[in-house]
Amino acid sequence: MVDQSIPEARTPGTAPGETDAPSPGEGISRRRMLGTAGATGLVLGTAGAAGGYAAAPSEAATPLTSLGTDRAMFHGKHQPGITDALQARGHVVAFDLAAGAGRKEAAALLRRWSETARRLMAGEPSGHDDTDVARDAGPSSLTITFGFGHSCFARTGLEKQRPASLDPLPEFSSDHLDKNRSNGDLWVQIGSNDSLVAFHALRAIQKDTGSAARVRWQMNGFNRSPGATAHPMTARNLMGQIDGTRNPKPAESDFGQRIFVPEKGEPAWMANGSYAVVRRIRMLLDDWEKLSGKAQEDVIGRRKSDGAALSGGTETTAMDLEKTDAKGNLVVPINAHARITRPDQNGGAAMLRRPFSFHDGIDTDGVPDAGLLFICWQADPLRGFVPVQRKLDRGDALSQFIRHESSGLFAVPGGAAEGEYVGQKLLEG
């Protein structure tokens, strides 16, 4: 959890922003029409309500029947699923290219995937052999995002096009990584506010893969559903903490340079793209829940009730790092997670956090296998994720209550223009 927020889940029915809203003359698909009618680490932050490019949520919750009508756009400057509001259900999956498959096969696969993503995000059937799982649902804010892992470039003969920012992440002392659930040639992120719509997309992407690649690993996550609270608010994680208070916001002048590769950046095929760090961070909930509420707040550095810093104010009030109590002790402990992760304590390092919680059952010893699928976005992980994680590695109070179990770093190119597929500039350039 980093004290850099996650995009806030948008209340259903509110405007999803200029890039999300269909034009007045746009046709309405069968699924959209039916949907309308029926309708540590860095992962546990305390970040704030950056709803991507979405408009501010309404004051009151909207009935869940409107969930299906919300639509994100596939084509655009950036890929979907980066600045969009948090979704209720998510899948992240990595693939390895099959033996003998190379650049040609990868290009054909990304072309198929992109067309399927375009159709599904518009609320249409997948195009062939559709399973009808989402037949009576609207788009439900579905986003599908594609990325390339370090190993993909050797397999496709494109080593000279591999970005320096995609160099493997350094090892951290808190890592307990399962290599079988880390990295991968290709990466897909799926998010939706409806579980069946999300599963439908996952199944369609898997079927499109054919013999070109095989699944390396898959993880499933969730967030609170839009409209589940009386008023829009920052999300909570499985530790009960408000999670996301200091995310970079699109309105900030340096948002673009922190999160996206410049249009004239290197390599050219990554223009308007971003880098995703993906970490499965297990929360040791049995140990965490033994702490008193005050002890939990001291670990994080923020109040559990409303996310405000222990130094006072509201959730968005600036943290006073020098404030002391009557005994002269720092109100925000020196090793508090929120203190350590502040950008001004890390040379301005910042990332856009957009995670999902996960719960994969109960271990044989009765311990919940639960935590956070940490996903963060930045223009360069060496200036975003790495410096903050190194500092956390040296003395974060939260570290004894979490365990980093898998890790991946992926280059996510800019959005595809009309008639193009994601990654075309790399695979055909």
Side-chain angles (χ1 to χ4, degrees):
M1 321 186 324
V2 193
D3 196 32
Q4 300 178 26
S5 113
I6 54 184
E8 179 182 5
R10 186 180 69 245
T11 302
T14 58
E18 291 184 3
T19 58
D20 290 346
S23 62
E26 179 179 317
I28 301 178
S29 71
R30 172 170 56 87
R31 278 180 52 201
R32 279 194 67 215
M33 192 156 52
L34 290 171
T36 304
T40 3
L42 284 149
V43 354
L44 311 174
T46 53
Y53 293 130
S58 60
E59 289 300 315
T62 306
L64 293 177
T65 50
S66 69
L67 277 173
T69 64
D70 284 349
R71 175 184 173 185
M73 304 304 292
F74 175 73
H75 294 295
K77 183 177 181 180
H78 309 297
Q79 284 198 60
I82 302 176
T83 59
D84 299 87
L86 285 177
Q87 294 134 309
R89 186 64 175 170
H91 304 289
V92 287
V93 53
F95 295 84
D96 284 337
L97 291 170
R103 181 174 177 177
K104 178 181 177 181
E105 289 76 14
L109 177 56
L110 265 297
R111 188 180 297 111
R112 293 196 299 274
W113 276 354
S114 294
E115 174 59 14
T116 293
R118 183 196 66 77
R119 294 177 64 93
L120 294 181
M121 286 176 56
E124 301 171 4
S126 60
H128 59 86
D129 295 331
D130 191 273
T131 61
D132 281 344
V133 170
R135 181 186 180 95
D136 50 356
S140 303
S141 300
L142 176 68
T143 61
I144 305 176
T145 317
F146 305 104
F148 299 92
H150 185 276
S151 56
C152 181
F153 295 82
R155 293 178 182 271
T156 55
L158 292 167
E159 292 97 328
K160 292 183 179 180
Q161 292 296 319
R162 183 167 55 210
S165 297
L166 200 57
D167 286 350
L169 296 173
E171 294 183 2
F172 302 103
S173 63
S174 58
D175 286 352
H176 297 78
L177 304 183
D178 178 354
K179 293 184 178 180
N180 293 324
R181 291 196 294 181
S182 299
N183 302 313
D185 294 342
L186 302 169
W187 177 70
V188 183
Q189 173 192 254
I190 296 168
S192 175
N193 283 329
D194 181 79
S195 295
L196 285 178
V197 169
F199 174 83
H200 180 240
L202 176 66
R203 183 65 178 138
I205 290 295
Q206 180 192 4
K207 290 173 65 177
D208 274 349
T209 304
S211 60
R214 62 175 180 81
V215 173
R216 180 179 177 87
W217 53 261
Q218 182 205 325
M219 300 175 191
N220 310 310
F222 57 90
N223 287 304
R224 174 174 281 163
S225 296
T229 56
H231 299 283
M233 62 180 294
T234 308
R236 290 186 184 272
N237 59 41
L238 299 188
M239 287 180 162
Q241 298 286 156
I242 285 184
D243 191 348
T245 302
R246 292 183 57 85
N247 242 11
K249 298 173 177 59
E252 296 170 354
S253 60
D254 62 350
F255 178 84
Q257 70 184 56
R258 287 182 172 196
I259 307 306
F260 295 108
V261 176
E263 289 192 12
K264 297 186 182 300
E266 293 294 334
W269 66 268
M270 274 294 290
N272 299 314
S274 188
Y275 292 89
V277 173
V278 184
R279 311 272 282 184
R280 185 185 196 270
I281 303 179
R282 181 148 173 192
M283 297 176 175
L284 308 181
L285 294 178
D286 285 351
D287 294 336
W288 174 255
E289 291 164 3
K290 291 175 184 177
L291 297 179
S292 66
K294 174 63 167 61
Q296 291 179 354
E297 291 181 338
D298 284 343
V299 167
I300 300 300
R302 289 184 176 272
R303 292 199 300 254
K304 197 169 184 179
S305 60
D306 59 6
L310 296 184
S311 54
T314 66
E315 181 186 351
T316 57
T317 300
M319 182 178 292
D320 184 349
L321 300 180
E322 305 303 323
K323 187 174 182 178
T324 57
D325 60 20
K327 297 181 179 180
N329 298 315
L330 288 170
V331 174
V332 180
I334 197 68
N335 62 347
H337 184 78
R339 173 190 284 268
I340 293 175
T341 59
R342 287 171 56 94
D344 59 6
Q345 301 295 302
N346 294 279
M351 66 209 80
L352 181 68
R353 299 173 56 262
R354 197 175 182 278
F356 292 94
S357 292
F358 73 86
H359 179 225
D360 291 334
I362 309 296
D363 285 353
T364 55
D365 55 2
V367 175
D369 182 8
L372 200 68
L373 298 181
F374 171 71
I375 303 171
C376 74
W377 300 89
Q378 59 259 282
D380 183 354
L382 293 178
R383 293 186 289 111
F385 173 81
V386 172
V388 181
Q389 184 60 36
R390 277 179 169 155
K391 193 166 184 180
L392 288 168
D393 213 32
R394 293 195 295 266
D396 177 22
L398 185 62
S399 61
Q400 63 181 304
F401 302 102
I402 61 176
R403 186 167 61 226
H404 291 241
E405 296 185 333
S406 69
S407 179
L409 172 61
F410 302 94
V412 177
E418 294 278 353
E420 294 182 348
Y421 64 87
V422 174
Q424 185 168 343
K425 292 181 177 64
L426 167 66
L427 296 170
E428 296 186 16

